[in-house]
Amino acid sequence: MTASSSAVQANTYERIKAMATTYRLRPGERINEVELARQLGVSRTPVREALARVAAEGFLIATPARGFSVRALDAQHLLALYEYRATVELGVVRLVCQRASDEDLAALLAFAEESRDEPETDAQAIGLLWRDEAFHERLATLAGNAEFLRSVRSINERIRFARWMDLRARRDHTRNDHPEIVRALQRRDLEQVQTLMAAHIDHHLDHVIDLTRRSYAEIYMGNALADYAEARLAGEMTPTELDPA
């Protein structure tokens, strides 16, 4: 494989994954590989390889003799992801309490305090989403366990669209819980930090059903998150341009 073909494969994978995680490829849609290759300006080979990789990561469904389709937006599945996230994050903070240095926690607190509570525009809400994901990944890094970090990154990607819709819906009522969580970590108060983290993540079925409905409306009537992801991969925008701090 040449360097140029490797770069094409990597870029195709990133673009298709972004299309799947932001639902630019719509829920339940059967993917036309020829049309997708034309849209991305590449041959079918890197498209097929990227689709297989994205499907293996759980964002698409591969069906023998029928190709690939987009995973449906299902409230029960989304709730299962939030429950899984809660279990992983509680394990993360337990290890961080034991292993993180005072200096590392001070740096994490400084990062957490940079985010504003109430984003006023879609761009600021997307920036806040990006910083929220970055916070949880930094926290997982301090746990000193690569498997936790891998899990947190995967969960972030799989609930990204739902988190985006949640931020949009609660734009005037958001609250930055991260500094309080870090301060509890600094006190090494495991019981308090786990209580705070559980409350930060908690989602009930009725709320998730509402998120799912809002998500379908956004997918078919705008999809600013997909627009941003495409602009970012095209080099037209960086996360700092949407920084909500």
Side-chain angles (χ1 to χ4, degrees), residues 13-14 17-23 53-54 56-59 71 73 77-78 81-82 84-85 89 129-130 132-134 136-137 149-164 225 232:
Y13 161 74
E14 291 293 343
K17 185 172 183 177
M19 295 171 78
T21 57
T22 64
Y23 287 100
R53 186 175 170 187
V54 174
E57 294 173 349
F59 299 106
R71 183 176 293 280
L73 253 175
H77 178 64
L78 190 56
L81 287 173
Y82 273 105
Y84 174 53
R85 180 191 181 198
E89 297 272 10
L129 170 63
W130 225 253
D132 180 86
E133 291 187 4
H136 287 276
E137 291 182 16
L149 178 58
R150 187 175 293 111
S151 292
V152 168
R153 284 177 173 163
S154 174
I155 295 166
N156 277 345
E157 291 172 338
R158 296 171 76 181
I159 66 171
R160 180 170 293 150
F161 198 86
R163 288 282 295 114
W164 155 240
L225 185 61
R232 185 179 178 219

Side-chain angles (χ1 to χ4, degrees), residues 43-209:
S43 69
R44 286 186 66 184
T45 297
V47 167
R48 190 178 301 112
E49 292 174 351
L51 288 171
R53 186 175 170 187
V54 174
E57 294 173 349
F59 299 106
L60 299 174
I61 297 171
T63 305
R66 290 183 56 84
F68 299 90
S69 58
V70 183
R71 183 176 293 280
L73 253 175
D74 176 77
Q76 288 287 355
H77 178 64
L78 190 56
L79 181 63
L81 287 173
Y82 273 105
E83 289 177 345
Y84 174 53
R85 180 191 181 198
T87 299
V88 170
E89 297 272 10
L90 292 179
V92 165
V93 294
R94 178 177 57 82
L95 291 181
V96 173
C97 251
Q98 297 170 2
R99 299 175 177 176
S101 69
D102 291 345
E103 293 76 14
D104 285 338
L105 291 175
L108 184 63
L109 180 60
F111 177 81
E113 289 180 330
E114 290 174 1
S115 295
R116 64 187 297 163
D117 286 341
E118 296 182 4
E120 298 171 356
T121 66
D122 279 354
Q124 289 171 339
I126 292 172
L128 187 59
L129 170 63
W130 225 253
R131 292 186 69 84
D132 180 86
E133 291 187 4
F135 171 82
H136 287 276
E137 291 182 16
R138 289 186 182 208
L139 190 62
T141 299
L142 296 184
N145 184 315
E147 295 304 321
F148 272 116
L149 178 58
R150 187 175 293 111
S151 292
V152 168
R153 284 177 173 163
S154 174
I155 295 166
N156 277 345
E157 291 172 338
R158 296 171 76 181
I159 66 171
R160 180 170 293 150
F161 198 86
R163 288 282 295 114
W164 155 240
M165 294 310 303
D166 207 5
L167 278 170
R168 272 189 110 187
R170 298 184 297 109
R171 178 174 295 156
D172 296 332
H173 306 286
T174 58
R175 180 175 178 272
N176 184 8
D177 297 327
H178 295 165
E180 191 175 0
I181 290 170
V182 181
R183 291 189 189 100
L185 284 167
Q186 289 177 315
R187 296 191 301 270
R188 312 291 169 170
D189 186 344
L190 179 58
E191 182 177 355
Q192 178 66 8
V193 75
Q194 288 190 321
T195 297
L196 291 169
M197 182 62 80
H200 178 65
I201 295 172
D202 187 42
H203 280 68
H204 299 288
L205 181 58
D206 56 349
H207 180 64
V208 173
I209 289 172

